[in-house]
Each structure stands twice: as C-alpha cells, then as structure tokens.
Amino acid sequence: MNSASALKILVIDDNRVRVSIIEAGLRDAGYDQVTLVNDVAGIARRIQELEPDVIIIDLENPNRDMLEDMFQLSRAVKRPIAMFVDRSDSASIEAAVDAGVSAYVVDGLRKERVKPILDMAISRFNAFSRMERELEEARSELENRKLIERAKGILMKSRGLSEDGAYALLRKTAMNQNRKIAEIAQSLITAAGLLGPGGEE
C-alpha cells in the first residue's frame, strides 16, 4: 500500500456537509489525493477510471437497498473500504463483514476519527488479502498433490513402478522439461485419458 501522500482516496457521499468532515480529516492527516463523488450513479465505472487505493463511503441514513448496492460494490472492487453509517442493525453489520467492508463504523463520523479508521481499514484489508492468498496457495497445493497421486498411480500401473519410482520419474521428467511436477502429472493424466480405457487408473 502507498504512503499517505501518494495514497489515492475516493470518498463517496451525497451529503456535502458530511463529506467536508471526511475531506478535512484526510487533508489534516496529510492525504492530498482525495477525490469526492456526490452521486453514486455509475460509481463502478468511476472507480475503474480513478483506480483509488482506498474507498470511503458515507451513508447518512441508508435504506436496505442502498446498503446492499454498496455491499455488492465492496465485493467487486477488491480494495480497502471504510463505511460510515449513522445507524445500523446486526444484520447489516454482518452483511458488511460478509461483503468485505474493512471498517464499518456506526455513528462515528468525526474529523479526528477519519485517519485511524482509514488505517484500520487498510490493515484489515491487507490481513484479509494475505489470508485469502494463503488459502488459495493451500488449495492449489492440495490440488497439485491430488494430480501427482493420480499420475503416480498411472505410472505404477502402466510401467510397473513402485510409488517411489513413479514419483522419481515424474520429478526427473519435470526437471528435464523445466516444468513443475504438477504440470507433468496433469499432462500424463490427460494423455492417459485420451489413450482410452485402462490408460488411467
């Protein structure tokens, strides 16, 4: 994430008094790349154009539909989002968490609170992103292991190799072709499937 002065912040708020509070808090904290948007119509396109690092959404008194629209936006943009609302209920708070809103602040819009809440949103977003990457890596590793196990089974059956021998052959082939073992395993499984019944275990 960029330093404060380089951080591009988009503030979405249709209330000019409230948005001035947020803007003042950001300027006081040293953020100078602040874009204010007062109309939520076409906001997804505006976000694509502006490519902000962080988004602050202020909804003074949102109805259920407006909240859901903002939650859908949160799911789509993959950026730290801090959302201020004047009032809320447990269902909305839960929906905000599910939507990936990094900081959901009820009745807490004050100039001096903007920076710490922004910092918290960024920290939570980074932590959540790290967890997502680690989870995806774990899933990928598990899938790769399954592929390798299947490929070893094919080699053991078709070449009469031991399990260790089958793995050694996969590894040697991967090294010779400068590819990953899982890629070799996938190619072998595909080839075995194409060669017909009996080719794959």
Side-chain angles (χ1 to χ4, degrees):
M1 193 61 60
N2 298 328
S3 62
S5 60
L7 209 61
K8 293 193 291 185
I9 302 172
L10 172 64
V11 181
I12 303 170
D13 192 338
D14 61 0
N15 183 311
R16 295 185 184 280
V17 174
R18 291 172 64 88
V19 79
S20 68
I21 296 173
I22 296 173
E23 184 179 22
L26 293 171
R27 303 287 184 196
D28 288 353
Y31 298 104
D32 52 15
Q33 296 195 59
V34 179
T35 301
L36 309 178
V37 173
N38 302 113
D39 186 358
V40 298
I43 192 61
R45 180 177 52 79
R46 289 284 286 150
I47 290 172
Q48 279 189 330
E49 293 170 353
L50 296 167
E51 296 185 336
D53 298 305
V54 188
I55 299 172
I56 297 177
I57 302 171
D58 178 52
L59 303 172
E60 184 178 10
N61 187 21
N63 58 37
R64 182 74 61 182
D65 289 343
M66 185 180 294
L67 274 177
E68 182 51 37
D69 287 346
M70 291 300 106
F71 292 158
Q72 287 186 11
L73 183 70
S74 300
R75 295 185 191 98
V77 297
K78 303 292 185 188
R79 287 174 173 81
I81 292 182
M83 186 177 292
F84 292 89
V85 295
D86 259 10
R87 56 188 176 188
S88 188
D89 53 34
S90 58
S92 295
I93 293 172
E94 186 175 336
V97 172
D98 288 344
V101 174
S102 307
Y104 188 77
V105 183
V106 181
D107 192 24
L109 180 58
R110 294 194 299 276
K111 185 178 77 170
E112 62 274 16
R113 293 195 69 196
V114 172
K115 183 181 187 310
I117 288 171
L118 189 72
D119 291 343
M120 179 178 65
I122 293 170
S123 295
R124 284 185 176 175
F125 177 82
N126 289 339
F128 185 72
S129 297
R130 186 169 58 251
M131 288 174 56
E132 280 194 320
R133 285 196 302 273
E134 291 172 353
L135 180 60
E136 184 56 37
E137 288 171 2
R139 285 177 179 153
S140 178
E141 179 65 24
L142 181 59
E143 289 302 313
N144 287 343
R145 287 184 184 180
K146 288 180 180 177
L147 288 175
I148 292 170
E149 288 301 314
R150 288 182 64 191
K152 284 195 306 184
I154 293 171
L155 289 174
M156 291 166 66
K157 185 175 181 179
S158 63
R159 302 279 295 270
L161 296 173
S162 67
E163 184 174 355
D164 288 345
Y167 182 76
L169 180 56
L170 286 171
R171 186 171 64 177
K172 180 181 178 183
T173 304
M175 291 176 64
N176 289 341
Q177 296 185 16
N178 196 26
R179 297 168 64 191
K180 295 179 179 177
I181 296 178
E183 294 174 353
I184 298 297
Q186 180 62 72
S187 297
L188 179 62
I189 292 167
T190 302
L194 291 173
L195 291 173
E200 190 174 354
E201 66 176 344

